Amino acid sequence: MIRVGLCSDDRALKSILSSALGKDFRIVPESAEPHNSSSQVLVVDMGAEPKSLLDQMDSLRNLVTSRPASAIILLADDSMRSAAAELVRLGAFGYCRRPPSIRDLKAMLLRAQENASLKLELQSAKQRPQPVAACDRMIGSSPKMQQVYDLVRRVAAINASVLVIGESGTGKELIANAIHNLGTRSDCPFVAVSCGAIPETLIEAELFGHDKGAFTGTVGARVGLLEQAGEGTLFMDEIGELSLATQVKLLRVLQQREFSRLGSNKLIPLKARLVFATHQDLAEMVAQGKFRQDLYYRINVMRIDAPSLRERPGDLPEIAAHFLREYSEMYNKPMSGIEPDAMSALQLYSWPGNVRELENVVQRAIIVAHGENITLDDLPEMIQEDGVVSIEDYQPSGSFERKIRDYKLKLALAAVHEHNGNKTLAARSLNISRAYLHRLIRVAEPELAAEPDDPEQPVTEFRPHAV
């Protein structure tokens, strides 16, 4: 239910709107100057008589500029349209003619509530306290991430093997780094290696090192990664990529807590802590004979699951804001933020590449952006179109996000119809880009999307789909 604050001297207006708007809206009367209102959307009735307009304009200007996180909708008579337009330029969401068309008002209230919610989310992301210093590169305050932080703190001071499971791009190395930084080994080296990036013929030499002449082509001794880590931490990413032969040797190192360089009989004690990570299902690999069961039990003493970005969508604005600050400074291109439409598209995207993909998208958007804010047009086309669905796919019992996406499509079709097929005017009336409008309507009406603008030829047979 959307809470709508109503500022009006018309006592009958509340009951009229409550009845007409339906159960999805709760109309709450507000004082004449609702600066402390808790409603995200405010409907302000400018009255039917323009004679008192001068007296209330200063108050209205102050109200609009003092509530940046709220959406303000004005009810204005034709004689007050210029004053209402001025308030919209100052930051009001929009205005409806008085008396309002219930259909238009309901559509504007839905868009205004979505806009206000995104603004509040972005604002809270900027003000949200950062995690503890040892986890300062791990971003997010969702329950999933709170579980990760808790496990990191629990295992940091314990010299036990840790297995981090998660999809590519979820920040498994950041978790390993946090375990290292928070524990007693923080002053010692943190060494990371991707087992899948090293050829099978070289992985043993990389891990254990070798003496001079250990095999053809060696010109000197080399210290391996196990030795380089010293009393610090060795992070072995993509542990599932190790061959069975290398798995046997690694298992012996973990059991005996010692190893030797290739070509040498001298035993070197293992002092480093090992943290492992993979995006694969190791239990399934064990069942298939691709991963040793005894090694699996040895490394899976403590397991931490790195959540995908899909599992913690509430963290996305905070993560995006972090990358926005980081790369705008790197490129010396000051950016103020991400516009609500763009943030909505980011939140609706599925993010198969997780945080790493989000980082690349924000980085690219900063480079191509023309203004100080990232807009929808600055995002890759696949992200812009991911939130577009066909009216035929609409399901009343679907998620809130699905209903919002379908309603956007309905609004776009109705706007084109209202402006007789002129998509430029339709986009302007919705305060969106023509390119975004075109992407919306071409899903439901490909023929309409292909038609050029022709304000002299009305679209007589166009009818918006019913939801």
Side-chain angles (χ1 to χ4, degrees), residues 104 174-175 194 269 288 304-305 359:
D104 293 345
L174 292 181
I175 293 176
S194 176
Q288 296 174 358
I304 298 178
D305 291 291
E359 179 180 7

Side-chain angles (χ1 to χ4, degrees), residues 299-406:
I299 67 176
N300 193 23
V301 176
M302 187 67 194
R303 170 171 169 164
I304 298 178
D305 291 291
S308 66
L309 198 53
R310 296 183 302 279
E311 297 177 86
R312 53 187 187 113
D315 289 336
L316 190 144
E318 186 177 0
I319 300 171
H322 166 77
F323 289 138
L324 187 72
R325 291 190 298 268
E326 179 178 344
Y327 286 105
S328 62
E329 181 178 348
M330 177 184 297
Y331 297 137
N332 195 25
K333 188 176 180 181
M335 302 292 292
S336 299
I338 302 174
E339 292 192 354
D341 278 353
M343 181 57 71
S344 178
L346 292 176
Q347 291 183 302
L348 291 174
Y349 183 59
S350 59
W351 297 109
N354 292 292
V355 177
R356 185 183 293 121
E357 184 182 7
L358 175 60
E359 179 180 7
N360 293 339
V361 166
V362 173
Q363 187 176 358
R364 173 193 179 277
I366 292 172
I367 294 173
V368 303
H370 294 291
E372 294 185 351
N373 290 321
I374 290 178
T375 66
L376 188 65
D377 290 335
D378 298 328
L379 302 179
E381 187 172 345
M382 61 181 179
I383 294 180
Q384 296 182 30
E385 295 183 348
D386 196 61
V388 180
V389 296
S390 172
I391 282 293
E392 286 77 7
D393 294 333
Y394 178 76
Q395 299 176 2
S397 60
S399 66
F400 174 76
E401 289 78 10
R402 169 63 68 88
K403 293 178 181 178
I404 290 296
R405 286 183 291 177
D406 291 351

Side-chain angles (χ1 to χ4, degrees), residues 25 138 253:
F25 298 87
M138 298 168 63
V253 171

Side-chain angles (χ1 to χ4, degrees), residues 3 32 96 106 148 158 172 249 304 348 350 360 366 375:
R3 177 188 170 104
C96 286
K106 183 181 291 189
V148 172
I158 303 173
K172 296 186 289 292
K249 296 180 180 180
I304 298 178
L348 291 174
S350 59
N360 293 339
I366 292 172
T375 66

Side-chain angles (χ1 to χ4, degrees), residues 126-184:
K126 293 178 181 179
Q127 298 174 350
R128 196 172 294 157
Q130 296 296 316
V132 295
C135 304
D136 58 354
R137 296 179 63 196
M138 298 168 63
I139 303 172
S141 303
S142 63
K144 289 279 187 181
M145 288 306 295
Q146 293 297 336
Q147 293 176 11
V148 172
Y149 298 149
D150 181 60
L151 289 174
V152 166
R153 297 185 185 103
R154 288 171 181 265
V155 305
I158 303 173
N159 189 28
S161 297
V162 179
L163 177 61
V164 184
I165 304 288
E167 299 176 9
S168 296
T170 51
K172 296 186 289 292
E173 185 170 346
L174 292 181
I175 293 176
N177 230 313
I179 293 172
H180 173 78
N181 292 335
L182 198 59
T184 57

Side-chain angles (χ1 to χ4, degrees), residues 392-437:
E392 286 77 7
D393 294 333
Y394 178 76
Q395 299 176 2
S397 60
S399 66
F400 174 76
E401 289 78 10
R402 169 63 68 88
K403 293 178 181 178
I404 290 296
R405 286 183 291 177
D406 291 351
Y407 201 84
K408 287 180 180 179
L409 181 54
K410 183 183 178 183
L411 288 175
L413 294 171
V416 174
H417 175 64
E418 182 180 350
H419 292 86
N420 296 325
N422 191 310
K423 292 183 283 294
T424 300
L425 294 179
R428 191 176 301 164
S429 71
L430 295 173
N431 197 26
I432 61 176
S433 69
R434 187 185 184 281
Y436 184 45
L437 176 75

Side-chain angles (χ1 to χ4, degrees), residues 143-254:
K144 289 279 187 181
M145 288 306 295
Q146 293 297 336
Q147 293 176 11
V148 172
Y149 298 149
D150 181 60
L151 289 174
V152 166
R153 297 185 185 103
R154 288 171 181 265
V155 305
I158 303 173
N159 189 28
S161 297
V162 179
L163 177 61
V164 184
I165 304 288
E167 299 176 9
S168 296
T170 51
K172 296 186 289 292
E173 185 170 346
L174 292 181
I175 293 176
N177 230 313
I179 293 172
H180 173 78
N181 292 335
L182 198 59
T184 57
R185 302 172 182 266
S186 58
D187 293 333
C188 301
F190 176 85
V191 179
V193 57
S194 176
C195 300
I198 302 175
E200 183 180 344
T201 55
L202 298 178
I203 186 66
E204 290 184 27
E206 288 292 319
L207 290 176
F208 306 120
H210 60 78
D211 274 356
K212 181 178 180 180
F215 49 86
T216 304
T218 57
V219 295
R222 186 183 189 283
V223 176
L225 298 175
L226 289 168
E227 199 171 346
Q228 289 179 32
E231 297 184 1
T233 301
L234 175 62
F235 172 59
M236 298 184 64
D237 197 7
E238 299 306 337
I239 188 67
E241 299 294 333
L242 288 181
S243 66
L244 290 172
T246 306
Q247 291 177 32
V248 173
K249 296 180 180 180
L250 178 61
L251 174 62
R252 186 183 183 283
V253 171
L254 296 176

